[in-house]
């Protein structure tokens, strides 16, 4: 199985800050990388697919980049609703696997 | 807009079979545009893809669970189902159903999830 490792595991930031979360794959996955966020008590929500394709309705402050084994999710100016747990997911090969999550908390 | 809703028992005894159903509305479960998947999340932990099914009935399972998992489709009821046999406490999790563009790519629309606890 392809292992996905996110860093950091947790992150504290303030409204208006910019933050970056990194996801590393144990082998090359081309651009088959998706990003989700999950708020407590809710299902995950797809933010970005194929490494950088923003889903409809997702604010432009979210952006994704990377290819191969290293990927990043950047939030340019944090809003209160962005404080959540973020997961990356590789969809290059079966079984699809997720990172362990990055919890973004308000400072 | 697709809407998915999980249903099923919230408590299952060890060694028994977990059975959940996902009801799809707002779109056709027979659409060639979507596969239908199950994902689970143990309390306080990360996400695990369980498997997916296509409208044709083709199924795709996570190898780690394949020996215990069956996913099926009932197009007449616009539902797809998950059965997980021989459950243990390690199968206690929130179970989500979701639509997905291909068997294990981007999970686009999610149900709200249903918590299943394995306990005697």
């Amino acid at each position: 199985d392809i292992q996905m490792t996110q860093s950091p595991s947790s992150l504290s930031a303030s409204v208006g800050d910019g933050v970056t979360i990194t996801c590393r794959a144990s082998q090359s996955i081309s651009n088959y990388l998706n990003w989700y966020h999950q708020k407590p008590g809710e299902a995950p929500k797809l933010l970005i697919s194929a490494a950088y394709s923003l889903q409809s309705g997702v604010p432009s402050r979210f952006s994704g980049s990377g290819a191969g084994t290293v990927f990043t999710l950047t939030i340019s100016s944090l809003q209160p609703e962005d404080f959540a747990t973020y997961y990356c997911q590789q969809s290059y090969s079966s079984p699809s696997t997720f990172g362990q999550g990055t919890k973004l908390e308000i400072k | 807009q697709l809407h998915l809703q999980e249903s099923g028992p919230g408590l299952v005894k060890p060694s028994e079979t977990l059975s959940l159903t996902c009801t799809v509305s707002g779109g056709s479960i027979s659409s060639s545009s979507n596969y239908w998947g199950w994902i689970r999340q143990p309390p306080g932990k990360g996400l695990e893809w369980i498997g997916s099914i296509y409208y044709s009935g083709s199924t795709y399972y996570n190898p780690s669970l394949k020996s215990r998992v069956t996913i099926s489709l009932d197009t007449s009821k616009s539902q797809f189902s998950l059965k997980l046999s021989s459950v243990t406490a390690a199968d206690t999790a929130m179970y989500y159903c979701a639509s997905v563009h291909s068997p294990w790519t981007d999970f686009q629309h999610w149900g709200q999830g249903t918590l299943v606890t394995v306990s005697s």
Side-chain angles (χ1 to χ4, degrees):
Chain A
D1 297 3
I2 297 175
Q3 305 302 313
M4 306 301 293
T5 304
Q6 291 179 230
S7 60
S9 295
S10 63
L11 178 58
S12 294
S14 300
V15 173
D17 286 351
V19 297
T20 296
I21 298 168
T22 300
C23 179
R24 288 181 168 82
S26 59
Q27 65 183 74
S28 178
I29 58 171
S30 184
N31 69 330
Y32 289 85
L33 191 285
N34 309 308
W35 289 100
Y36 302 81
H37 74 182
Q38 183 179 33
K39 299 177 185 179
E42 296 184 6
K45 176 186 175 182
L46 179 65
L47 301 173
I48 288 172
S49 62
Y52 56 83
S53 295
L54 204 63
Q55 294 302 292
S56 174
V58 175
S60 59
R61 63 180 179 273
F62 290 90
S63 63
S65 66
T69 61
V70 182
F71 302 84
T72 58
L73 172 70
T74 298
I75 311 172
S76 60
S77 178
L78 283 167
Q79 298 301 302
E81 60 269 27
D82 300 336
F83 292 92
T85 300
Y86 289 79
Y87 292 97
C88 62
Q89 174 218 0
Q90 69 82 13
S91 53
Y92 179 77
S93 67
S94 178
S96 176
T97 46
F98 293 81
Q100 83 281 11
T102 294
K103 188 173 184 179
L104 178 54
E105 298 175 304
I106 299 177
K107 185 182 289 183
Chain B
Q1 176 82 346
L2 277 175
H3 180 74
L4 294 89
Q5 179 71 56
E6 304 88 350
S7 59
L11 181 64
V12 181
K13 289 182 168 54
S15 80
E16 295 190 345
T17 296
L18 177 160
S19 296
L20 296 175
T21 296
C22 182
T23 302
V24 178
S25 58
S28 173
I29 201 169
S30 300
S31 168
S32 59
S33 301
N34 288 311
Y35 290 68
W36 308 98
W38 288 97
I39 304 100
R40 69 180 183 178
Q41 184 174 37
K45 296 189 178 180
L47 299 158
E48 180 180 34
W49 172 67
I50 300 170
S52 301
I53 190 166
Y54 196 40
Y55 79 98
S56 63
S58 297
T59 52
Y60 309 82
Y61 299 136
N62 188 322
S64 69
L65 297 168
K66 186 174 183 177
S67 64
R68 299 193 292 132
V69 172
T70 302
I71 297 176
S72 59
L73 196 66
D74 186 338
T75 56
S76 67
K77 295 181 180 179
S78 200
Q79 294 177 335
F80 63 104
S81 299
L82 169 70
K83 291 187 185 300
L84 181 65
S85 63
S86 305
V87 297
T88 69
D91 295 309
T92 292
M94 185 71 78
Y95 285 77
Y96 296 100
C97 60
S99 67
V100 55
H101 277 155
S102 66
W104 52 77
T105 55
D106 48 324
F107 296 95
Q108 295 232 324
H109 298 96
W110 296 63
Q112 65 184 27
T114 188
L115 179 63
V116 179
T117 301
V118 178
S119 175
S120 55

